Amino acid sequence: MKLRFLIPAAVFAALIATFGVMLHRSERGEYNPTIVQSPLLGKPAPAFRLPSVDDPTTFVSTTDFLGQVYVLNVWGTWCVGCRQEHGALLEIARQGLVPIVGLDTKDELADAQRWLSTLGNPYAATAWDADGRAAIDWGVYGAPETFLIDASGIVVYKYIGPIHMQAWEKEFVPRIHEARNRQGTATGNPAS
Amino acid sequence: MKRVVLAVLLALMSIPAIAIDSESFDDPVLHARYRKLTQELRCLQCQNENIHDSNATLAVDLRREVRAMLLAGKTDEEIIRFLTDRYGDFVLYRPPFVARTIVLWLAPGLALLGGLAAVVVVVRRRATQSFDDATDPASSNTAAGADSQ
């Protein structure tokens, strides 16, 4: 009968335990309350056709990459995290598992060109999204953001924040293989 | 002299009020809808502000988009749909009532009902106990009654 008075204490202890677990997970980077799950996952990638940063007289379009698994990296020269991840992008491009398409958003063309020529260019193609409209279509709210798109043009995964090799190996590489295997069985071709 | 200074200072205080309304509409109805929409949409770049109050670049861009859609004759539902398609329900300060948010919506009401039920139970018990105490002061219930008070 008297144990009833322990109920509030038990509820309180459970609450403290929950807070403790979540704090611990956020410290280890497993849980981040500011990351918002993208509604684009599992849906067709928003299309764009924009001038190329490398040569603004030509265009970069999402349809150019239809039929292959690719990564879309949203960046800008104003973005500190993009500078942090640049080395990792160069390494990913060097490994050559998938092409990286750049979406340079809310940027000056000359700044973007200087960035790529001085820091190195990991992108198979870079689209220049001067007014940030394409980034809005992709639901971007804080560059850098990196998307994985499968061969049928479906967004498979989104990574928010500066990418690093551990995240690439852990989150992207298995999904790339999975997307290729799925595609292989769907078309009857052996997986590459 | 004092009055003149006071008048000038008071007039100066109204300047920010004029500055805020830089994104006004000619049509007051459109303007009211614009205010209501932007106040109910969350800015994802600075997650505890709405896009009406925030000066983050994303909020400025989304205000521009909302404004353009209003001028193009889109309905409130279409504008909200445009944003939830891209950013998810998280942009809404007033989340929809769906299966996923049912706990969110019903929890306050359930907590209130639970609290009321607890109060009723406690009050009733105390009423019986004091009745017992009054009629039968020698009863062994007295000890238990004192315990819970």
Side-chain angles (χ1 to χ4, degrees):
Chain A
M1 187 61 186
K2 284 196 178 152
L3 284 178
R4 252 186 0 165
F5 299 103
L6 287 177
I7 292 174
V11 169
F12 184 68
L15 201 62
I16 293 297
T18 312
F19 290 162
V21 167
M22 293 319 261
L23 273 176
H24 180 67
R25 286 184 58 204
S26 67
E27 234 165 54
R28 292 180 44 180
E30 291 166 13
Y31 168 74
N32 183 346
T34 62
I35 284 183
V36 181
Q37 187 69 273
S38 172
L40 282 179
L41 298 183
K43 301 226 177 77
F48 61 74
R49 186 171 184 272
L50 293 165
S52 161
V53 168
D54 307 306
D55 175 9
T57 58
T58 62
F59 286 89
V60 178
S61 164
T62 41
T63 53
D64 300 346
F65 295 90
L66 208 61
Q68 57 181 317
V69 179
Y70 69 97
V71 161
L72 182 96
N73 175 251
V74 184
W75 64 284
T77 59
W78 44 267
C79 149
V80 181
C82 302
R83 183 117 188 179
Q84 284 172 3
E85 70 170 5
H86 204 76
L89 287 177
L90 288 169
E91 174 60 22
I92 291 163
R94 202 189 55 76
Q95 291 179 358
L97 187 58
V98 284
I100 310 174
V101 179
L103 183 67
D104 174 39
T105 188
K106 302 206 61 122
D107 217 345
E108 297 293 333
L109 189 59
D111 291 344
Q113 288 169 337
R114 197 177 322 122
W115 168 291
L116 293 179
S117 61
T118 54
L119 297 177
N121 186 352
Y123 303 112
T126 311
W128 182 39
D129 178 31
D131 60 4
R133 268 221 166 75
I136 289 178
D137 282 342
W138 281 75
V140 172
Y141 64 88
E145 290 187 8
T146 309
F147 297 83
L148 181 66
I149 299 98
D150 75 6
S152 47
I154 302 291
V155 180
V156 179
Y157 179 67
K158 174 181 184 177
Y159 183 88
I160 296 169
I163 200 165
H164 46 81
M165 291 318 288
Q166 290 100 305
W168 174 255
E169 301 292 347
K170 186 165 165 259
E171 307 291 351
F172 283 85
V173 173
R175 286 185 171 92
I176 291 167
H177 290 307
E178 199 182 302
R180 287 196 173 139
N181 285 337
R182 207 168 43 233
Q183 217 68 34
T185 41
T187 54
N189 297 327
S192 54
Chain B
M1 187 58 199
K2 258 187 182 173
R3 281 188 175 199
V4 175
V5 173
L6 191 66
V8 169
L9 285 176
L10 283 174
L12 283 174
M13 284 174 74
S14 66
I15 287 177
I18 305 164
I20 284 168
D21 243 1
S22 59
E23 287 165 327
S24 62
F25 290 76
D26 293 336
D27 180 353
V29 178
L30 270 189
H31 190 68
R33 282 175 59 204
Y34 174 78
R35 277 188 73 97
K36 188 163 180 296
L37 276 169
T38 53
Q39 280 171 352
E40 282 193 5
L41 293 167
R42 187 195 303 269
C43 169
L44 273 84
Q45 208 170 341
C46 34
Q47 295 181 355
N48 290 320
E49 276 189 293
N50 58 29
I51 65 170
H52 184 269
D53 297 337
S54 175
N55 276 321
T57 45
L58 182 63
V60 174
D61 288 353
L62 290 180
R63 282 202 297 267
R64 180 194 66 196
E65 295 294 319
V66 169
R67 188 186 152 86
M69 283 187 277
L70 279 170
L71 290 174
K74 294 263 170 67
T75 66
D76 290 1
E77 289 71 33
E78 284 171 326
I79 294 170
I80 284 172
R81 181 80 190 283
F82 175 91
L83 285 145
T84 53
D85 278 352
R86 284 159 181 75
Y87 298 101
D89 288 342
F90 193 73
V91 288
L92 306 174
Y93 267 114
R94 205 192 296 262
F97 187 78
V98 293
R100 200 162 37 78
T101 59
I102 207 150
V103 174
L104 181 72
W105 277 102
L106 296 186
L110 290 177
L112 185 66
L113 286 178
L116 284 174
V119 166
V120 168
V121 167
V122 168
V123 166
R124 278 206 176 158
R125 184 171 306 152
R126 286 201 180 164
T128 10
Q129 271 165 2
S130 47
F131 180 74
D132 289 347
D133 292 350
T135 50
D136 186 8
S139 138
S140 58
N141 279 351
T142 332
D147 213 354
S148 65
Q149 270 157 26

